[in-house]
Amino acid sequence: MIRSFIDSIRDLLPIILVIAFFQIIVLQQPFPNPVEMLIGLLAVVLGLTLFIQGLNLSLFPVGEGLAEAFAKKGSVIWLIFFAFALGFGTTIAEPALIAVSAEAAKVVSAAGLIEDTSAARSSYATGLRYTVALSVGFSLILGVVRIIKGWPVHWIIIAGYTVIVILTQFAPREIIGVAYDSGGVTTSTITVPLVTALGVGLSTVIKGRNPMVDGFGLIAFASLFPIGFVLVYGLLF
């Protein structure tokens, strides 16, 4: 725990030095409420320490353990269902996605693409959230199948972005930025550890798979698929 605390301080030190440099040297102003800022900084360090410790104690072992158990069970159907449920469940309640969806609904409403009512905006935002969550679920299905089959990850990425570039030419301008941002908000603090553990655990158990080569890449899919799904959502709705 002490080592994790020291590591957290070391990780946050660069941004602290940058802020201090610009505040004191460039702006030549004292820090407002230094005591409150110090307390807040300690809270951030402690929170980061507990978060990293929690990942190591629970999420990583649970994700790897479930992946190994499903692989040993030999049921591809259950493994695919688990991957979809994991992607959908960790994404649908993501606070960043909720915020982006709400803002997107306001922009689309202001552009006159949907009715300017709270019900219409809420419906659009909810549909956008479910679209992104479904896309992450399907991306993990593809990721699991890729690990099982041993497909090269770069060909899938190239093909995916080619489709996205084509879709971008036809999608409404108001949805393009939202679509590209949706790929970023899906890589949350919960999704990333679990997805990483799933990929590494699965590639460790399957014979002939290398965890370094085959275990990673699922997060790239989880960022790629939402862009395409949201562009299609914009075209349809």
Side-chain angles (χ1 to χ4, degrees):
M1 188 70 177
I2 295 176
R3 181 180 179 85
S4 297
F5 187 81
I6 295 174
D7 290 341
S8 297
I9 295 176
R10 182 193 62 196
D11 294 338
L12 290 172
L13 187 60
I15 187 61
I16 294 173
L17 293 177
V18 167
I19 293 174
F21 173 79
F22 280 92
Q23 183 75 19
I24 298 173
I25 304 300
V26 179
L27 299 179
Q28 297 182 351
Q29 295 180 2
F31 281 99
N33 304 319
V35 176
E36 293 182 4
M37 292 189 65
L38 181 60
I39 294 174
L41 179 61
L42 291 175
V44 170
V45 173
L46 180 60
L48 181 61
T49 302
L50 293 174
F51 175 71
I52 298 299
Q53 197 75 3
L55 292 180
N56 293 328
L57 292 176
S58 60
L59 289 186
F60 279 127
V62 166
E64 293 178 4
L66 285 171
E68 292 177 5
F70 277 116
K72 291 178 180 177
K73 187 180 178 64
S75 176
V76 178
I77 299 299
W78 277 111
L79 181 59
I80 289 176
F81 180 77
F82 167 69
F84 176 83
L86 179 68
F88 182 88
T90 55
T91 305
I92 191 64
E94 170 60 35
L97 177 59
I98 295 174
V100 169
S101 300
E103 289 300 317
K106 293 179 182 178
V107 171
V108 172
S109 175
L113 299 179
I114 61 174
E115 294 182 9
D116 190 14
T117 62
S118 58
R121 289 192 296 268
S122 176
S123 176
Y124 187 89
T126 301
L128 189 60
R129 283 176 56 204
Y130 275 92
T131 299
V132 175
L134 286 171
S135 70
V136 176
F138 283 113
S139 73
L140 293 194
I141 291 178
L142 178 61
V144 167
V145 174
R146 182 194 72 83
I147 294 175
I148 295 174
K149 298 293 186 180
W151 295 336
V153 64
H154 56 281
W155 290 117
I156 301 176
I157 296 295
I158 292 172
Y161 276 109
T162 300
V163 172
I164 286 173
V165 170
I166 295 173
L167 287 174
T168 302
Q169 309 307 313
F170 301 97
R173 291 184 303 167
E174 293 81 4
I175 202 67
I176 293 175
V178 177
Y180 279 83
D181 282 346
S182 298
V185 299
T186 56
T187 51
S188 68
T189 52
I190 299 299
T191 305
V192 170
L194 283 174
V195 169
T196 303
L198 172 65
V200 172
L202 191 60
S203 59
T204 301
V205 174
I206 298 177
K207 187 178 180 180
R209 297 291 174 265
N210 185 334
M212 282 303 299
V213 176
D214 303 299
F216 295 90
L218 271 71
I219 297 174
F221 293 167
S223 298
L224 173 65
F225 269 58
I227 302 174
F229 272 58
V230 173
L231 289 174
V232 173
Y233 181 77
L235 285 168
L236 295 177
F237 299 100

